[in-house]
Amino acid sequence: MNKVDSLNWSQFKEELVKNPDLNLQFQYAESKWVDASYHITEIKQAPIVSVDCGGVMNSWTEIIVQLWEPENEQQERSMKVSKALSIVAIVEKSLPLNPLGTVKIEFGNSDFDTRQMFPGEFIIDGDNLIVDLSPDAVQCKAITRGGSCGTNDKGEECCTPAPAKQKVELKNLAVAAQSCAPGSGCC
């Protein structure tokens, strides 16, 4: 699995601040772009607390920037980075964003299921600042720590294959002459 290096909010915002006069564009797949008429509809801060399969508690914060494409194209050019920064300023007046929070961009349209992606490479191309988005992936935190997943009451790990069960052949150990039959009086 290719693990994407995530950006924190401080790093993401710093990239924007360096390029306020450029047009902000997002590429969500190979040769697929968020339409120029997109809106930043909200910025969410999501504190997450979890316990993984190894029994270890984890906590982190995600900053999720949600993009929306209106049905009717409203403009031919993407918003300026400075416009995005003005939206960030409005959000940060009400909600101080964790500078170490992991940034994700949330986007979907009729051709692309809504998902959260990592901002990968920032590319300057003429008058454009392009944010190349990379997919997120599910991972096992216990394994990435070099450990193993939790165990059941028999000590079996949840992410390892169960050992093959040994076949047992049953034998009748009673000898016919020495057995006790119901109603025979031997019991």
Side-chain angles (χ1 to χ4, degrees), residues 12-20 81 85:
F12 180 78
K13 190 173 164 184
E14 183 179 308
E15 287 294 325
L16 298 180
V17 168
K18 289 192 294 190
N19 300 288
V81 173
L85 287 169

Side-chain angles (χ1 to χ4, degrees), residues 36-107:
S37 63
Y38 75 86
H39 293 252
I40 296 175
T41 58
E42 64 184 9
I43 298 176
K44 304 179 245 189
Q45 180 163 255
I48 298 172
V49 178
S50 72
V51 176
D52 65 37
C53 58
V56 175
M57 184 172 286
N58 302 279
S59 63
W60 68 94
T61 300
E62 293 179 358
I63 308 297
I64 303 155
V65 179
Q66 185 181 75
L67 306 179
W68 170 69
E69 289 180 349
E71 288 183 30
N72 299 322
E73 187 175 304
Q74 297 175 346
Q75 59 196 38
E76 294 180 19
R77 182 178 78 215
S78 296
M79 76 172 63
K80 295 277 189 195
V81 173
S82 58
K83 170 73 174 178
L85 287 169
S86 70
I87 294 168
V88 167
I90 290 168
V91 170
E92 288 183 326
K93 281 183 186 175
S94 299
L95 177 64
L97 298 174
N98 181 340
L100 301 177
T102 301
V103 176
K104 291 188 175 176
I105 306 297
E106 185 174 75
F107 172 73

